[in-house]
């Protein structure tokens, strides 16, 4: 073993970093535009939540379902934690976990 963290550890670490970054945000910060200026930060994080949920559904062999966009953006970090835990629990191929970790990291950078 090389001692490198496994993909699920990478995903868990990436999610934790993003949650630490945004977990204290209030509504005005969520509604501000993301770094690319095309969508709000909240919309960007919700898109990430949906992407991770899609990976989890694929890994479970289930149909993809739309993740509800809740009225309160403060719920987004919890939604991300839940869908990431669902993905890890589905025991997908390592590539799916690595892709999810990369998506989380890219979103964190774009915020």
């Amino acid at each position: 073993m090389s001692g490198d963290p496994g993909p699920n550890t990478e995903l868990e670490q990436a999610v934790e970093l993003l949650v630490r970054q945004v977990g204290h945000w209030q509504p005005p910060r969520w509604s501000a535009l993301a770094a690319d200026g095309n969508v709000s930060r909240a919309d960007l994080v919700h898109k990430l939540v949906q992407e991770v949920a899609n990976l989890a559904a694929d890994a479970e062999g289930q149909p993809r379902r739309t993740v509800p966009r809740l009225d309160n953006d403060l719920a987004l970090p919890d939604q991300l934690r839940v869908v990431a835990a669902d993905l890890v629990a589905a025991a997908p191929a390592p590539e799916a976990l690595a892709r999810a970790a990369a998506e989380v990291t890219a979103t964190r950078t774009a915020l």
Side-chain angles (χ1 to χ4, degrees), residues 20-100:
R20 282 190 213 161
Q21 178 179 340
V22 304
H24 62 282
W25 285 4
Q26 295 301 313
R29 201 143 179 206
W30 280 109
S31 62
L33 292 179
D36 65 10
N38 290 330
V39 296
S40 72
R41 291 169 169 167
D43 288 341
L44 187 65
V45 173
H46 184 263
K47 179 179 178 238
L48 171 66
V49 168
Q50 184 64 61
E51 290 171 5
V52 175
N54 289 346
L55 289 170
D58 293 348
E60 294 169 344
Q62 297 293 322
R64 292 179 172 189
R65 293 178 285 282
T66 301
V67 176
R69 181 71 165 90
L70 303 176
D71 292 336
N72 189 345
D73 294 333
L74 302 181
L76 287 165
D78 289 332
Q79 281 186 303
L80 178 59
R81 280 185 171 138
V82 168
V83 296
D86 288 348
L87 176 57
V88 171
E95 297 80 21
L97 291 171
R99 179 175 164 205

